[in-house]
Amino acid sequence: MSQSNSLYDTLVFRHAKWVLLFFILIAGALSPYAKEFRLDASSDSLVLENDASLKYFREVVSKYAGDELLLVTYTPTGDLFAQETLDDLSALREKLLKLDQVKSIISILDAPLTQSPPVTLAELATNPQTLRDARTNIELAKKEFTDSALYSDLLVSDDLSTTAIVMSLAGDAEVSALLDKRNALREKRAEGGLSKAEALELEAITKEHQVKADAAQARQAAMIAEVRGIMQEHEANAKLFLGGLPMIVADSVAYINADVLTFGLAALAVIVLILTIAFRQFGWIVMPLINCAATGFIIVCLLGLLNWPISVVSSNFLSLLLIITLSLNIHLIVRYRELAKLHPDHDQTALLSSTVRSKFIPCLYTALTTIVAFASLIVSGIRPVIDFGWIMCLGIVVAFITTFTLFPALAVWMRPRAVKHNRDALSKVILNGAQAMHQRGVVVSLFFTLVTVAAIYGIANLTVENRFIDYFKPDTEIYQGMVEIDEQLGGTTPMDIILDAPPEFLAAKSAVESAPEEQEEDEFDEDDFFDEFEDEPGDNIVISSYWFNKQGLDKLKAIQRSLDAIPATGKVMSLATSMSVFEGLRDQGPMDNIDLSFMLTVLSDDNKKTLIDPYLSEDGNQTHINIRVFETFRGLDRDQLISDIRTMLIEEHGLQDEQINISGMVVLYNNMLNSLFNSQIMTLGTVFVVIFLMFIVLFRSVKLALISIIPNVFSAAVVLGIMGIFSIPLDLMTITIAAISVGIAVDNSIHFVHRYRDEMGERAENRAAINSATLNVGQAMFYTTLVITAGFLIMVFSNFVPTMYFGVLTGIAMVTALIANLVMLPMLVGAIKPIADA
């Protein structure tokens, strides 16, 4: 041990300049990879990686989905159907259509009209009329837009005050192909593993896809900026909002990048101010900042080198590394200043050496236990959360290394002065107050008991986030656009229902097809589907399919009526919606099977692609229903909505459970949240067990380890309880607060108990050891809490609500950990006297 200490002293203290040069070289070598550091805000960050629903969505649902959509809502100052309004709307449409990535546009100017006046099927197929045709009657067109099951709440609002211009965006075929290859290899890896060649291929494809997808996202963000520029040219005539997933992704990235820069600089200013007030010396202010900057830069470069993007979840990882690095640095500073006051005759090298020796073991264990807390995120099954866990583990290792190499080397080089008074007035008041609380056992115990009961009540009422709109403040364009679309145009978030034909129908159909030709068709009698057409060719989809016939369409109409009646659902689109267009044609009533067969023969391919292909499989035995869910619906509970729809389809419409597949972003996001909630809440117990075992190894006392774990459980419970009491939902970012609060509280507990043990070794008197530990280690705990809480509270000004909650809850976690370890932990140690009994 002494040889290792001697080697450390030689390397760090006697050759401090070489240590500094080493870090400069490391930073220089890694610096090219800083530009590879990037933020990933794709939909992959909102889903569970190995979710069976995700696999089904990619394999089945995606074939019904069209291009990505971007829409502009247009609310004119005058009559929507006035000539000048339509002229302005037409000019806006033409400008948007000229954008490179806009593939096509559908608006009230493009929509085929069938009732203005009524047309026949032949006229619709050969010469469809639109709003600005000379033959169109405007009053009839108004009625058609409001009455049409296809157009109402899709292109126009019920009161005809708002319309939408829906832009189909051209996809990137190369990015899509790479994504398909990547997903196929990932699926194979999950099912049974990859060969070495396939693993290398997956790595190469993943990196290539990331590069291409980033470039495509940048192009899309630039296009969205162009769209906004065009919208501004028409703001004098109408109120316009932009909506759609591409806009949400682009704006979310912009918000997060702005937060990182703005709040990073603001937090830095606050930290400098508080360090100045606390330590009042240039060296003690600059050294922690240099060490934090070095840690942050190294980890950013390493993430670029490892091609490890951050996501919305991990976007605050640098702030958390600031907590951990500053905490380690402040403990060294306070200990050094304490030793300098106790041993004024010691030279700087001796003081630094003693500081490092006394703090190495507790800091090592604080790093290890914090790693354990963040490692709980790795079992979430959600790629961005898993990455966040790994990033924080890697960052803590880097922070520990820089703290015990770069920081001492900087201290040797900068030679900060010793101090006559090691405590400022504010910390003295707080620490003396904590000591006073130690003497009020009954009152303080009652307080902690009441807080614990309230925390348990709050935890019992924790909820999982269910409204994506709540991620944004009401004054942001994303929020206002979602409200506008929900209120005027039938909902925001897509949900997809895939209904298969009954298994017995498919089995009987397969038996008929495989039987000898002379076999009588009447061997199969599935609701008399084929009775009317038993002499027609077998390839007629009206005859051979389950859904594309009168009986199937009647069932779909009934299902659509039930879906429309659910308060949380907005616009519902299905094959029944499309068929309602044809049933309203001139000389056409409800369509029977003969009408359906005739319609298929005369309908153009373009009309089929628009009206039939998005809702029906090629064989007609699978149908797709698209629902837009109201994000603004206050009672929205995604999990309950999905369950209610499934129950309704089974109990009210006689479908079998295996026929029903509910998917889409609503389901994928809901699965992710539920998985995250279960994995994180359930793994907290495992985290505490592991930390408890580490405490036993560190403190060599089961009793002391048990005492030390209690403040950590209390801190985590309080933060989660506050979330439950104030209805702050668990989401992608706030779910990590549990791990953060545990990591923070553990650090304080270790430093306090380690110092208490050292004091007991010297004094062998319990109360004196507690007081000394409270006054000395408590000072470092107070400084850390003050600096980091102030820095994180600045986040309340973020436009991104999860970031705001993250800042507030992290501040609460810091304060709770401080109180628990300055008051609860010393009282437990004083009451139980674990060292005396050891």
Side-chain angles (χ1 to χ4, degrees), residues 155-423:
L155 293 181
V156 291
S157 59
D158 289 337
D159 60 1
L160 295 179
S161 65
T162 301
T163 186
I165 298 177
V166 183
M167 293 172 276
S168 294
L169 305 183
D172 191 310
E174 187 176 12
V175 172
S176 298
L178 288 169
L179 180 64
D180 290 341
K181 289 180 182 178
R182 187 203 70 178
N183 291 340
L185 287 170
R186 281 185 176 180
E187 183 180 331
K188 186 175 181 181
R189 180 183 62 185
E191 291 176 350
L194 300 175
S195 66
K196 186 175 181 180
E198 288 173 328
L200 292 173
E201 182 185 7
L202 175 58
E203 182 179 353
I205 288 175
T206 299
K207 186 169 185 178
E208 185 180 2
H209 171 261
Q210 288 172 347
V211 172
K212 303 281 188 182
D214 284 348
Q217 186 173 314
R219 291 192 298 272
Q220 194 169 83
M223 183 270 296
I224 290 170
E226 290 185 79
V227 171
R228 286 195 166 111
I230 293 172
M231 290 168 61
Q232 287 177 356
E233 298 173 8
H234 295 262
E235 287 180 346
N237 303 316
K239 182 173 71 172
L240 298 96
F241 286 104
L242 186 62
L245 184 60
M247 181 274 289
I248 293 174
V249 170
D251 281 11
S252 296
V253 171
Y255 285 148
I256 294 167
N257 286 335
D259 285 351
V260 169
L261 178 62
T262 304
F263 297 123
L265 293 175
L268 178 63
V270 170
I271 288 169
V272 170
L273 176 63
I274 296 177
L275 287 175
T276 302
I277 295 172
F279 296 130
R280 300 183 300 280
Q281 285 190 22
F282 178 78
W284 298 128
I285 299 168
V286 173
M287 288 192 304
L289 295 179
I290 293 176
N291 204 49
C292 288
T295 302
F297 184 75
I298 289 172
I299 193 66
V300 164
C301 293
L302 286 175
L303 294 179
L305 173 64
L306 298 171
N307 191 34
W308 216 342
I310 64 168
S311 65
V312 172
V313 181
S314 53
S315 59
N316 287 310
F317 84 98
L318 278 176
S319 302
L320 290 173
L321 279 183
L322 180 67
I323 287 181
I324 295 162
T325 310
L326 266 181
S327 176
L328 293 171
N329 284 205
I330 288 174
H331 277 287
L332 291 184
I333 293 172
V334 171
R335 181 57 174 164
Y336 176 91
R337 286 157 64 95
E338 179 190 353
L339 291 174
K341 183 181 177 182
L342 292 174
H343 307 287
D345 55 326
H346 287 191
D347 62 23
Q348 187 189 46
T349 301
L351 289 173
L352 285 171
S353 181
S354 298
T355 299
V356 169
R357 285 193 182 94
S358 64
K359 284 296 176 183
F360 181 81
I361 292 299
C363 285
L364 174 63
Y365 271 83
T366 60
L368 292 175
T369 51
T370 306
I371 286 174
V372 168
F374 280 105
S376 68
L377 303 176
I378 296 171
V379 300
S380 67
I382 302 165
R383 175 49 52 191
V385 178
I386 294 171
D387 287 345
F388 181 41
W390 283 117
I391 288 170
M392 288 307 304
C393 291
L394 178 62
I396 293 166
V397 171
V398 173
F400 182 81
I401 293 172
T402 59
T403 297
F404 283 92
T405 53
L406 178 59
F407 186 84
L410 285 169
V412 171
W413 179 57
M414 299 185 69
R415 296 184 176 277
R417 300 189 311 275
V419 292
K420 294 181 180 180
H421 303 287
N422 195 35
R423 285 200 299 277

